[in-house]
Amino acid sequence: MRTRLSLLVLALAQLVIALDYNIVYVALPEIGAGLGFSAHGLQWVVSAYVVTTGGFLLLGGRAADLLGRRRTFVAAALVYAGSSLVGGLSESAGVLVAVRAVQGLGGSLLFPATLALINTIYEEGPARNRALAVWGAAGAGGLCFGSLLGGVLVEAFGWPSVFFVNVPVAAALAWAGLRLFPADGPRGGTRRFDVTGALAATGGITLFVFLLVHAPEAGWGSPSALLSALLSVTLLSVFALVETRARDPLVPARLFAHRGLVAAMAITALYSATFSSLPYFLTLYFQNVRGYGAFATGLAFLVPAVVTALGTQVGERAVARVGVRRMLVGGMSLGAAGAAALGLALTGDGSYVLLLPGIVLLGLGQGAAWTGMWIVAASGIAAEDQGVASGMASTTLQVGGAVGLALLVALSGSVGTGPPDEALLSGIRGAVFAVAAVLCCGVPLTLVLRRTATAAA
């Protein structure tokens, strides 16, 4: 019973992370009007969260290993609760952007701590795979249900409600974590925190993600973009140098020799660049092409949410039958077929029903691949390294999403031709077809998975 309740709490934590990323999208127009955001500045309500989450994930993963997984989980949940309360009470644009950055910091601590707890509470094999499938279903559902919940809350209570809703849930997570999760115990004296490596990695990754978010708007040749690129390269070079000499490095070199983890990092990057970018273009399609309102857009994402959650369960069962490698190939292949079908069905006046074949294939492939890549990332990793391994895989997830969305937005803008409405639709279709092509190219990534990782899963 205790392990089931623990899994419920861990799944709820993932649901909160996913909701917090997505729930503000439908609230952006009201936030902009209520707090006086400029057209350019409004993007930072989303980008501030993305930048800080991506930049601090490695630090959060190592903190879970060294400071304790339960301590890190509880602290991160309290950061969420406090920042969400301040966000709902915000009366200026600057305060809200700062709040979103703090929420991103909470996410960078909570995500790897949650994964590390799953990978240490549940034994490697069927028990862990089942736990990862439930955890994945909660996250997949949160990404899509966020739009629906956001639409309901904004229409009923106004934009502050999308922040206030997090407060009791995050506080309950902190309390439940203290009661249910195994105690961390005292810190050992033989391992030290690599402060220099942590600062260099966090600064370099944060600036890199900032560059990917900021440069498309400001221009890749703008002084701010060039300075960010230069500082990012410098700090990441310093990080690489420090890690080769540190007694207790932030990222132990032995983890880069783990082929399963390295392959999982590549797969998470590709996954986020493709599957995770599609909601952006579908939101544009539903609202700007088809004229859906906030609530109707949320309802349109209901089917993808349910099917993706189902896909995580299908993936967990498929691993037991055919192995994680074949299951990942199947998930990516389904996703590619779904994206191609969806691209063909996107028209200016077609029925939503015509989108369902592509949506169903995409959702099943997305859910199955999500479960599989986290199984691979955790297989064969020692308990004391589970936090940083989770941080490494989730960092590539964030960076891959930022890179993929930036490239797909640029592609969408370049292929769109004709009058504005037709150009928007053709650009969206071009991006969706590109996702299908990239997923096809990503299938060979699974061929480098170690046979031992496949057998363990």
Side-chain angles (χ1 to χ4, degrees):
M1 177 62 71
R2 189 181 186 90
T3 56
R4 290 183 179 180
L5 288 175
S6 296
L7 181 57
L8 176 63
V9 173
L10 293 166
L12 184 58
Q14 178 61 8
L15 180 68
V16 168
I17 293 171
L19 281 173
D20 221 40
Y21 175 80
N22 215 36
I23 197 171
V24 299
Y25 276 107
V26 295
L28 286 178
E30 283 205 15
I31 290 174
L35 298 183
F37 275 94
S38 66
H40 172 68
L42 188 59
Q43 67 165 328
W44 284 104
V45 177
V46 175
S47 298
Y49 184 87
V50 173
V51 168
T52 52
T53 301
F56 283 82
L57 276 167
L58 272 182
L59 189 61
R62 204 50 169 169
D65 288 333
L66 297 183
L67 304 180
R69 300 173 189 93
R70 187 176 76 167
R71 294 188 188 103
T72 305
F73 180 94
V74 171
L78 291 176
V79 168
Y80 257 116
S83 59
S84 296
L85 179 61
V86 176
L89 298 173
S90 297
E91 297 182 353
S92 71
V95 170
L96 188 63
V97 170
V99 162
R100 289 291 286 168
V102 175
Q103 284 184 323
L105 177 60
S108 70
L109 295 170
L110 190 61
F111 191 93
T114 301
L115 260 180
L117 282 164
I118 289 176
N119 294 331
T120 51
I121 292 175
Y122 303 94
E123 185 179 355
E124 185 169 334
R128 183 187 294 175
N129 297 350
R130 194 173 303 113
L132 285 169
V134 173
W135 170 82
L143 284 174
C144 293
F145 282 124
S147 299
L148 177 59
L149 179 61
V152 172
L153 290 174
V154 170
E155 290 195 2
F157 306 107
W159 70 261
S161 61
V162 302
F163 293 94
F164 287 142
V165 70
N166 281 330
V167 177
V169 178
L173 285 175
W175 177 83
L178 279 174
R179 295 295 300 271
L180 292 173
F181 299 151
D184 294 314
R187 286 188 57 195
T190 58
R191 300 173 72 190
R192 298 180 299 177
F193 199 82
D194 178 16
V195 177
T196 304
L199 292 175
T202 300
I205 295 171
T206 300
L207 285 167
F208 180 62
V209 179
F210 170 82
L211 172 68
L212 295 172
V213 171
H214 175 67
E217 181 74 26
W220 291 94
S222 65
S224 58
L226 294 175
L227 180 61
S228 297
L230 176 62
L231 290 176
S232 177
V233 170
T234 301
L235 287 172
L236 291 176
S237 299
V238 170
F239 169 67
L241 179 63
V242 168
E243 294 301 280
T244 61
R245 302 181 179 183
R247 177 182 171 186
D248 291 308
L250 180 69
V251 181
R254 63 181 178 275
L255 293 181
F256 287 105
H258 193 288
R259 289 178 60 194
L261 176 59
V262 173
M265 291 168 63
I267 292 170
T268 60
L270 182 140
Y271 178 100
S272 190
T274 53
F275 286 119
S276 298
S277 296
L278 283 174
Y280 173 86
F281 294 99
L282 285 177
T283 301
L284 287 180
Y285 174 74
F286 290 138
Q287 293 192 343
N288 296 357
V289 176
R290 301 303 305 278
Y292 290 7
F295 181 68
T297 300
L299 284 176
F301 279 107
L302 188 59
V303 173
V306 172
V307 176
T308 303
L310 178 63
T312 63
Q313 307 306 303
V314 172
E316 183 260 326
R317 288 170 173 79
V319 169
R321 292 174 178 265
V322 302
V324 71
R325 186 191 321 212
R326 290 179 180 174
M327 190 275 289
L328 280 171
V329 169
M332 289 187 180
S333 300
L334 279 175
L342 183 63
L344 292 171
L346 293 174
T347 62
D349 55 2
S351 168
Y352 179 80
V353 175
L354 296 177
L355 306 180
L356 290 179
I359 286 175
V360 170
L361 290 175
L362 266 170
L364 290 174
Q366 181 176 357
W370 176 269
T371 300
M373 69 189 188
W374 295 115
I375 291 173
V376 174
S379 296
I381 303 294
E384 63 269 19
D385 289 329
Q386 282 290 348
V388 72
S390 300
M392 292 166 68
S394 49
T395 295
T396 53
L397 183 77
Q398 291 288 329
V399 172
V403 172
L405 184 58
L407 293 176
L408 288 171
V409 169
L411 173 67
S412 176
S414 65
V415 301
T417 57
D421 290 345
E422 293 181 12
L424 177 61
L425 178 58
S426 61
I428 292 171
R429 295 185 70 190
V432 174
F433 284 131
V435 167
V438 174
L439 284 171
C440 286
C441 296
V443 170
L445 278 176
T446 60
L447 301 179
V448 303
L449 298 179
R450 287 183 72 175
R451 189 166 298 177
T452 54
T454 305

